[in-house]
Amino acid sequence: MIKKFDKKDEESGSGSNPFQHLEKSAVLQEARIFNETPINPRRCLHILTKIIYLLNQGEHFGTTEATEAFFAMTRLFQSNDQTLRRMCYLTIKEMANISEDVIIVTSSLTKDMTGKEDVYRGPAIRALCRITDTTMLQAIERYMKQAIVDKVPSVSSSALVSSLHMVKMSYDVVKRWVNEAQEAASSDNIMVQYHALGLLYHLRKNDRLAVTKMLNKFTKSGLKSPFAYCMLIRIASKLLEETEGGHDSPLFDFIESCLRNKHEMVVYEAASAIVHMPNCTARELAPAVSVLQLFCSSPKAALRYAAVRTLNKVAMKHPSAVTACNLDLENLITDSNRSIATLAITTLLKTGSESSVDRLMKQISSFVSEISDEFKVVVVQAISALCQKYPRKHSVMMNFLSNMLRDDGGFEYKRAIVDCIISIIEENPESKETGLAHLCEFIEDCEHTVLATKILHLLGKEGPRTPSPSKYIRFIFNRVVLESEAVRAAAVSALAKFGAQNDDLLPSVLVLMQRCMMDSDDEVRDRATFYMNVLQQKQKALNAAYIFNGLSVSVPGLEKSLHQYTLEPSEKPFDMKTVPLATAVITEQKTEIAPVATSKLPEKLAPSRQDIYQEQLAAIPEFQGLGPLFKSSEPVQLTEAETEYVVRCIKHTFSNHMVFQFDCTNTLNDQLLQKVVVQMEPSEAYEVARYVPAPSLPYSQPGSCYSLVRLPDDDPTAVSCTFSCTMKYLVRDCDPNTGEPDDDGYDDEYVVRISPCGDPSETALPIGRHVASSSLAFSLPAGGPGGDRRRPHTEGPEAQLRSSLGGGGRRVREGGDVRAVIGPDAGGGREQHRQFPGDAAVRAFRQSPGEQELPRPLPRRRVPRGPRRAAAGAAGAGGRGHHAGDRAEQRGDGGGRHPGLRGLKSPAADLGSARPGFHFFFFFLLFLSVSTQQRSHTSDVIKL
Amino acid sequence: MDSAALEPSLYTVKAIFILDNDGNRLLAKYYDTGLYPSMKEQRSFEKNVFNKTHKADNEIAFLEGMTIVYKSSIDIFFYVVGSAQENELMLMAVLNCLFDSLSQILRKNVERRCLLDNMDGVFLVVDEIIDGGVILESDPQQVVEKVNYRADENPLSEQSVAQVLQSAKEQIKWSILK
């Protein structure tokens, strides 16, 4: 690329770039004159400029050659030429990361920064800080402190900005300069003020109280710098958001008062801050909007742009507030800056009346080809919103969209249009035919596989139900003839759907399928053969199962399961039923399983939480061979947030084992913990098979240790267990600043205080809190093997229920074996996840008469419900209230089983009496309730 | 287009660059290392920006999720890039300061040849205005004072005689070749 331009340059004969034919090696050769005495400042300056120019052009310098040039350059400090010296500073900064041993210039720079020449001092500080690391910083700390409060503004500013850069690297050192920064903040110079404020905020941003104090001080005293005002407004609005302060707070008054500042920059910042505030009323918005309205007629394009963009924002939430500006916005729709015009039009589309839509659409279509893709997407979004507002206008919109679809544009833009058309089709049945026709036309010439497959899927879904489905067949079959494999495969699937739903089309579809069976691609042939055979059966049930219902499992989950299966080959064929279902309804995911389509959309297939855990656990050698992960619980906090070690627990259930994952965080900066293990003492038939310690826990870096518990496989009734847990580790004291640990450490223990909780995903506080005040009650939600042991295939509403129940149908096949005790547990867990959409349906299902005929559940030993369930039960349907009561009693009983444990002194008392983090023991109990049966629906007797 | 409000920070400027009228880079500084880390990405970004902006002098554009303010003078283009949520007027202040300082240093000859001849001064000016993404100074007068750089007044100094000869040679060479 560069070469090409160079050639063009030569051809045009301009040849005026003195740096045009620079060769790195030649320049480095020239750099030797740095060593000549006396120094020739002009020539040296020229060579330094060449070096910096080359670096700026992206020329790569090797370490050796850079170091060589750097060392030669250091000689130039002998010259007193001002520009040359300044260029030396620049070279130092540019080479700081390339050359070795840059710190040799430290002393020269320190001399300059404390010298008499003010011109040198600022730049010298900045260069010095660029090459200084944490250890060296302490050596220059004194100079930095002096420089921050220096009365020369450039020196002070440079020191402040450099300190800000160094905060990332050595926060603790820079923190000590707060007082100096405070002093600098009251400087008369506007930039010094701004930089001091920035540094102060950066040092204090984690301390809300300090920030509030600082804000109070500066908002009262008033600042001179518009930049500093902008900064203050941002801090204030952030604080308002965090504290959820009402709009009567002094901070809001401050922001509002800034609307009357004499600098446009500040006024705009304040207006934009108000607009971005959540839940702002129209009255509060009014002053901000009127300021923005004034800006709309500014001669400065940037100001108009800023104003319109912000108004566009307002219009999304409060269209009525912007109506006042409609006239000004009208003037902007012909603005020569197309970005401004686009924003003005889209804003008007949101605020204007239905009658103006046609006019605006006409206006925007006149220049839509001139604007950038980003703004085109904005336009499409505005249209999409408009269609929801004025459904009657859909024909205008559809026309416009189809025109846009024909224009050139990137993928994002096309996708926005296609999405918009699809949403219109879904909302407006009348627009379906025109919409589908436009989309058909689009896929005739579509270079984006993803979009083509998506549209084909839509055609397959919607097409058969239109009055004349036959006309779509031609478009679809054209794809089979002309397109790439992924699209062909999608087209075959779409064809099959037509054949399945329209009996009169079936013969023709079968003919087409036959042709597809000769395709060159495996996937296409496979699909065609498969659908051909299904269609020939002419059975509705088969069609429903294999043609209409696509893949309902989560794709990352499927990938994991298959991988797992290939790792452990077994006689059994792979069972699709073991794959977790897709948790969210992601339509794109279901569309086509064509590999190309999915691989192009990796961001869509975000793995679920459970997939992440599975991956983490699979990486631990000790946990190889546990089989697939059934279910991971929500994390449960075992400690309070302010304790010295924060521990939370996540249970992972496998077929024969459970893995307890303890996420520990060390919050003491003078300690390093090593070999951290949480020892668990089970009370019943369970045994702890293995501990995996966290090798080291430095300050504030979370680490995980694991305990592997084998579930008893001889006693199916051993469904609950209580564990008492102690965290054991090796403590090594360390220096809080450097993190260097002492050589020797000592063993110690810590018993985690437990806040009793159920599943934190529930907001209702568990009843168990009162009953078992320092015990942790876990409940493994359990589904019974008999949950729905019935006909494997059912149709109608029941099938629907099964799908909403998730694991329900699956349990049937796993029942009988004790292993299934845990298996269904996983299913049950999933069921919990899924409860939200159809909780009522699930309940109804359980109470259905068919359910009563289920095999009697085994007597249970412990209530299989977590306290939260009890709470939910108590709060919920009255019919289940008495269960909840029973359970609460039981819970009380459960807690009472360990009176000794509960009698231990409270952690708070310990905290007071001992040095934090040492020698206290408390226990936590894990009520591990694993039940073998479906619970709650029948009036089964609860036995202990 | 933009989501949450901006985290209060002094790091305002993401990048600053000067291009010639073919879109070639004369100077470029990227302050946010996460943004276009490789030279190739930087070049393609510059190219994209140039293509979208060089035709109409519109002062402001929104590209690749970033706010870009720009200005042209004869045959060079100045660009200042900030995040989507950034206060456009702050970016404008930087751009104006850059332009005014350079125009003073270059004695109003803000064009490619003159800029390249005084590249050292240009580097210093940019260094005085922005330091690692933080606006260091926004008043052109202050910048010029701090840089204390003057474009060559006397073109007949010892060094430039050689340069003049050199360029004369080049001119002749090209006229013959043509």
Side-chain angles (χ1 to χ4, degrees):
Chain A
M1 191 54 69
I2 305 160
K3 277 216 177 104
K4 200 182 91 195
F5 281 131
D6 282 353
K7 206 187 264 172
K8 202 166 113 201
D9 237 21
E10 278 172 43
E11 278 160 6
S12 68
S14 67
S16 57
N17 185 347
F19 302 109
Q20 191 179 329
H21 301 294
L22 281 189
E23 283 279 336
K24 181 178 72 177
S25 49
V27 174
L28 290 173
Q29 194 80 19
E30 275 185 285
R32 289 190 180 164
I33 66 152
F34 291 168
N35 290 320
E36 280 173 16
T37 352
I39 292 164
N40 181 342
R42 288 198 69 91
R43 286 183 67 193
C44 293
L45 183 59
H46 196 62
I47 292 162
L48 274 188
T49 312
K50 283 181 185 171
I51 293 180
I52 297 181
Y53 183 86
L54 281 178
L55 283 168
N56 208 275
Q57 292 290 327
E59 187 83 39
H60 177 73
F61 278 66
T63 312
T64 345
E65 48 192 13
T67 312
E68 215 166 274
F70 185 83
F71 273 66
M73 185 273 299
T74 54
R75 256 203 96 240
L76 300 182
F77 271 91
Q78 291 171 5
S79 161
N80 274 327
D81 185 282
Q82 261 194 20
T83 316
L84 182 61
R85 183 70 64 88
R86 300 284 313 269
M87 286 305 273
C88 286
Y89 299 148
L90 274 193
T91 319
I92 293 170
K93 286 205 266 187
E94 294 284 340
M95 287 200 165
N97 289 336
I98 315 171
S99 165
E100 281 172 343
D101 300 325
V102 281
I103 50 167
I104 56 151
V105 287
T106 306
S107 63
S108 310
L109 289 173
T110 322
K111 208 174 107 209
D112 281 355
M113 108 184 223
T114 50
K116 288 201 182 67
E117 289 265 17
D118 286 345
V119 198
Y120 292 155
R121 291 174 63 198
I125 292 173
R126 288 188 279 133
L128 180 60
C129 290
R130 185 77 178 71
I131 58 167
T132 303
D133 59 13
T134 314
T135 45
M136 300 267 302
L137 187 57
Q138 307 202 339
I140 60 161
E141 188 175 358
R142 191 163 56 92
Y143 302 120
M144 287 301 289
K145 280 184 172 177
Q146 282 168 4
I148 290 176
V149 292
D150 199 284
K151 59 182 187 304
V152 181
S154 71
V155 177
S156 181
S157 270
S158 297
L160 286 163
V161 172
S162 305
S163 313
L164 182 68
H165 294 323
M166 286 190 302
V167 167
K168 280 176 227 144
M169 190 175 74
S170 27
Y171 177 81
D172 293 320
V173 181
V174 180
K175 212 170 77 177
R176 296 201 288 258
W177 309 344
V178 155
N179 288 335
E180 282 76 13
Q182 191 90 47
E183 198 181 324
S186 46
S187 156
D188 283 340
N189 184 285
I190 56 169
M191 289 323 274
V192 175
Q193 231 174 35
Y194 171 56
H195 296 137
L197 177 68
L199 180 64
L200 281 175
Y201 174 71
H202 219 75
L203 291 175
R204 291 173 172 173
K205 64 179 170 189
N206 294 325
D207 181 355
R208 193 178 291 165
L209 198 69
V211 173
T212 318
K213 264 193 201 157
M214 187 173 87
L215 267 180
N216 279 340
K217 186 180 160 215
F218 288 121
T219 51
K220 282 208 190 80
S221 65
L223 295 165
K224 278 191 197 161
S225 154
F227 292 107
Y229 260 111
C230 289
M231 184 76 186
L232 270 186
I233 293 172
R234 282 181 202 177
I235 300 173
S237 68
K238 182 158 189 268
L239 202 66
L240 265 179
E241 196 181 314
E242 280 175 359
T243 54
E244 287 164 8
H247 298 289
D248 46 356
S249 99
L251 290 178
F252 187 80
D253 293 342
F254 164 70
I255 297 179
E256 202 170 26
S257 74
C258 288
L259 288 174
R260 294 180 290 277
N261 195 292
K262 64 177 190 292
H263 292 277
E264 281 169 342
M265 187 193 290
V266 181
V267 176
Y268 169 63
E269 185 72 44
S272 137
I274 293 179
V275 165
H276 282 99
M277 268 176 211
N279 45 39
C280 218
T281 63
R283 202 175 57 83
E284 284 156 349
L285 277 176
V289 170
S290 60
V291 161
L292 293 172
Q293 187 178 5
L294 275 182
F295 286 170
C296 281
S297 43
S298 157
K300 293 181 199 159
L303 197 51
R304 290 198 304 270
Y305 171 87
V308 181
R309 207 163 78 103
T310 318
L311 283 176
N312 191 21
K313 258 268 124 59
V314 185
M316 283 178 193
K317 278 190 246 158
H318 302 276
S320 54
V322 190
T323 332
C325 314
N326 275 4
L327 208 61
D328 302 81
L329 290 171
E330 290 277 353
N331 292 331
L332 292 181
I333 60 178
T334 46
D335 200 295
S336 63
N337 186 329
R338 294 311 187 194
S339 311
I340 297 179
T342 317
L343 285 167
I345 291 177
T346 50
T347 314
L348 281 172
L349 283 176
K350 285 174 197 134
T351 63
S353 61
E354 193 166 354
S355 55
S356 59
V357 168
D358 292 297
R359 190 172 52 85
L360 290 171
M361 297 297 280
K362 204 165 163 198
Q363 176 74 33
I364 201 168
S365 45
S366 66
F367 64 81
V368 78
S369 55
E370 292 174 42
I371 55 180
S372 68
D373 266 15
E374 276 92 345
F375 281 108
K376 285 181 185 167
V377 174
V378 173
V379 173
V380 175
Q381 282 163 351
I383 292 175
S384 180
L386 207 58
C387 290
Q388 284 169 4
K389 206 163 136 199
Y390 306 119
R392 275 186 296 155
K393 286 284 167 199
H394 68 81
S395 60
V396 185
M397 308 294 169
M398 201 56 108
N399 251 329
F400 182 73
L401 286 173
S402 69
N403 283 332
M404 282 175 104
L405 207 48
R406 276 181 215 129
D407 288 342
D408 291 336
F411 170 66
E412 286 300 325
Y413 169 50
K414 296 279 173 176
R415 190 169 70 177
I417 301 177
V418 170
D419 285 346
C420 183
I421 293 186
I422 292 178
S423 73
I424 295 178
I425 292 174
E426 277 163 4
E427 276 160 33
N428 273 304
E430 314 111 79
S431 66
K432 189 191 275 181
E433 283 209 49
T434 34
L436 288 180
H438 288 313
L439 291 177
C440 282
E441 188 194 324
F442 174 59
I443 53 169
E444 286 287 287
D445 182 23
C446 170
E447 56 193 314
H448 308 292
T449 316
V450 181
L451 291 181
T453 50
K454 185 169 181 167
I455 292 171
L456 283 170
H457 176 73
L458 182 81
L459 284 178
K461 210 171 71 184
E462 301 288 346
R465 281 182 271 153
T466 53
S468 50
S470 55
K471 70 177 172 193
Y472 300 108
I473 301 270
R474 180 174 66 87
F475 289 104
I476 298 176
F477 192 67
N478 277 349
R479 299 304 98 219
V480 177
V481 182
L482 298 168
E483 288 281 358
S484 64
E485 294 81 9
V487 180
R488 290 206 300 271
V492 169
S493 302
L495 271 182
K497 284 176 188 158
F498 278 87
Q501 279 185 55
N502 300 82
D503 290 336
D504 44 338
L505 283 180
L506 184 59
S508 352
V509 168
L510 286 176
V511 173
L512 295 178
M513 281 288 175
Q514 218 136 26
R515 289 242 215 120
C516 298
M517 283 161 69
M518 257 91 83
D519 197 278
S520 59
D521 182 68
D522 291 350
E523 171 75 19
V524 181
R525 270 200 315 275
D526 287 355
R527 283 196 191 194
T529 318
F530 176 71
Y531 287 133
M532 178 89 184
N533 285 310
V534 174
L535 287 174
Q536 275 167 345
Q537 304 301 316
K538 293 190 177 135
Q539 284 184 18
K540 284 234 154 41
L542 280 181
N543 285 349
Y546 295 113
I547 295 182
F548 300 127
N549 295 334
L551 197 65
S552 59
V553 295
S554 91
V555 176
L558 177 63
E559 189 188 336
K560 296 265 158 52
S561 308
L562 285 172
H563 182 65
Q564 184 78 24
Y565 184 76
T566 50
L567 287 183
E568 293 166 12
S570 75
E571 292 296 300
K572 280 192 299 183
F574 178 75
D575 187 6
M576 212 36 185
K577 303 280 190 297
T578 57
V579 182
L581 296 184
T583 41
V585 183
I586 304 170
T587 41
E588 289 91 332
Q589 216 166 298
K590 284 193 197 154
T591 48
E592 297 300 331
I593 39 173
V596 183
T598 47
S599 65
K600 278 203 177 159
L601 288 170
E603 74 277 9
K604 286 250 162 67
L605 308 176
S608 69
R609 207 172 57 90
Q610 180 150 352
D611 293 326
I612 298 170
Y613 286 135
Q614 168 134 30
E615 199 149 272
Q616 283 172 357
L617 292 173
I620 299 169
E622 281 85 348
F623 298 151
Q624 301 285 338
L626 293 187
L629 175 63
F630 272 119
K631 155 102 173 109
S632 295
S633 75
E634 294 287 332
V636 176
Q637 292 292 344
L638 302 186
T639 55
E640 280 171 4
E642 302 84 27
T643 46
E644 43 284 273
Y645 310 119
V646 179
V647 183
R648 58 178 202 162
C649 174
I650 301 160
K651 291 169 290 146
H652 305 285
T653 315
F654 291 88
S655 50
N656 290 335
H657 296 86
M658 287 193 74
V659 172
F660 292 85
Q661 174 184 347
F662 296 94
D663 289 341
C664 313
T665 313
N666 171 13
T667 62
L668 298 178
N669 61 0
D670 57 350
Q671 280 189 4
L672 173 74
L673 305 189
Q674 288 182 323
K675 296 180 202 150
V676 183
V677 102
V678 176
Q679 199 158 25
M680 306 176 73
E681 280 164 33
S683 62
E684 313 207 3
Y686 290 68
E687 59 170 312
V688 178
R690 198 183 277 275
Y691 293 110
V692 179
S696 125
L697 272 187
Y699 167 54
S700 87
Q701 288 176 18
S704 297
C705 57
Y706 301 88
S707 306
L708 177 67
V709 174
R710 192 193 312 284
L711 299 172
D713 44 13
D714 50 341
D715 180 10
T717 56
V719 289
S720 74
C721 180
T722 309
F723 294 94
S724 50
C725 299
T726 317
M727 186 163 123
K728 298 199 170 174
Y729 47 83
L730 180 74
V731 185
R732 291 172 73 180
D733 289 333
C734 63
D735 184 339
N737 291 326
T738 59
E740 289 284 321
D742 287 350
D743 290 338
D744 47 341
Y746 46 92
D747 288 318
D748 202 352
E749 296 182 339
Y750 179 77
V751 182
V752 252
R753 182 197 136 91
I754 302 110
S755 32
C757 30
D759 194 330
S761 66
E762 282 282 333
T763 45
L765 271 179
I767 284 177
R769 171 170 293 229
H770 306 296
V771 189
S773 68
S774 75
S775 69
L776 171 71
F778 268 129
S779 144
L780 281 187
D788 38 23
R789 190 193 297 272
R790 47 172 69 204
R791 299 172 300 281
H793 262 290
T794 39
E795 289 286 339
E798 224 167 278
Q800 254 180 335
L801 268 174
R802 184 144 36 82
S803 69
S804 79
L805 268 168
R810 179 167 318 154
R811 278 176 229 145
V812 179
R813 292 158 198 95
E814 290 159 0
D817 188 295
V818 186
R819 236 137 281 178
V821 172
I822 305 299
D825 156 62
R830 194 173 301 125
E831 166 198 315
Q832 265 193 350
H833 278 301
R834 278 159 191 283
Q835 255 177 15
F836 42 86
D839 197 22
V842 173
R843 236 176 284 147
F845 179 46
R846 286 172 178 160
Q847 284 159 2
S848 71
E851 200 71 351
Q852 305 288 346
E853 299 160 17
L854 293 175
R856 255 343 250 180
L858 293 167
R860 57 177 85 181
R861 296 184 48 160
R862 181 144 310 278
V863 187
R865 277 190 166 230
R868 65 178 193 85
R869 280 234 157 192
R880 303 197 303 161
H882 66 279
H883 285 293
D886 286 353
R887 267 168 232 125
E889 259 170 54
Q890 279 194 353
R891 178 69 48 222
D893 217 306
R897 285 177 60 178
H898 305 278
L901 301 182
R902 290 177 56 212
L904 273 171
K905 52 180 173 172
S906 85
D910 262 313
L911 275 174
S913 67
R915 190 177 149 200
F918 288 91
H919 69 70
F920 15 103
F921 291 74
F922 12 129
F923 292 90
F924 85 73
L925 322 172
L926 297 175
F927 273 42
L928 175 70
S929 320
V930 184
S931 140
T932 54
Q933 64 267 333
Q934 181 90 8
R935 66 235 174 267
S936 80
H937 46 70
T938 49
S939 53
D940 50 20
V941 187
I942 298 163
K943 283 180 193 162
L944 267 176
Chain B
M1 224 159 73
D2 47 7
S3 49
L6 208 57
E7 166 78 3
S9 151
L10 294 190
Y11 294 94
T12 308
V13 180
K14 297 235 178 244
I16 195 166
F17 47 88
I18 305 176
L19 306 180
D20 70 6
N21 58 353
D22 291 322
N24 296 323
R25 171 193 283 198
L26 300 179
L27 178 150
K29 289 290 226 173
Y30 287 77
Y31 299 108
D32 184 346
T33 42
L35 179 81
Y36 311 117
S38 78
M39 187 54 59
K40 205 176 147 203
E41 288 165 299
Q42 292 181 2
R43 294 263 183 198
S44 84
F45 174 65
E46 281 159 32
K47 194 158 180 265
N48 183 16
V49 169
F50 181 76
N51 287 339
K52 286 278 188 326
T53 54
H54 76 282
K55 277 181 223 132
D57 199 3
N58 278 332
E59 203 171 292
I60 188 159
F62 184 79
L63 283 167
E64 304 193 14
M66 257 152 325
T67 306
I68 297 154
V69 292
Y70 61 101
K71 195 171 200 139
S72 68
S73 167
I74 311 180
D75 52 1
I76 43 182
F77 292 79
F78 300 89
Y79 296 89
V80 177
V81 182
S83 85
Q85 297 90 357
E86 194 47 75
N87 187 330
E88 288 85 350
L89 301 181
M90 278 179 143
L91 299 177
M92 253 347 251
V94 173
L95 180 67
N96 288 332
C97 175
L98 173 71
F99 186 81
D100 294 346
S101 317
L102 286 181
S103 119
Q104 282 199 40
I105 280 183
L106 305 176
R107 300 165 182 283
K108 306 246 184 305
N109 294 325
V110 188
E111 42 97 24
R112 181 168 172 272
R113 174 75 221 211
C114 189
L115 186 98
L116 283 169
D117 282 343
N118 297 287
M119 209 56 199
D120 38 0
V122 178
F123 283 127
L124 292 177
V125 164
V126 172
D127 181 60
E128 279 298 343
I129 299 177
I130 309 283
D131 184 84
V134 178
I135 306 175
L136 198 61
E137 183 56 73
S138 64
D139 177 4
Q141 204 50 51
Q142 290 286 329
V143 173
V144 173
E145 263 175 45
K146 283 188 199 170
V147 170
N148 194 14
Y149 178 92
R150 286 280 146 203
D152 289 338
E153 270 182 77
N154 179 8
L156 285 174
S157 65
E158 173 205 359
Q159 186 66 32
S160 48
V161 172
Q163 266 180 1
V164 169
L165 278 178
Q166 179 67 29
S167 75
K169 243 195 243 168
E170 231 172 58
Q171 294 279 332
I172 294 165
K173 193 173 80 185
W174 278 111
S175 56
I176 293 169
L177 281 175
K178 266 179 191 166

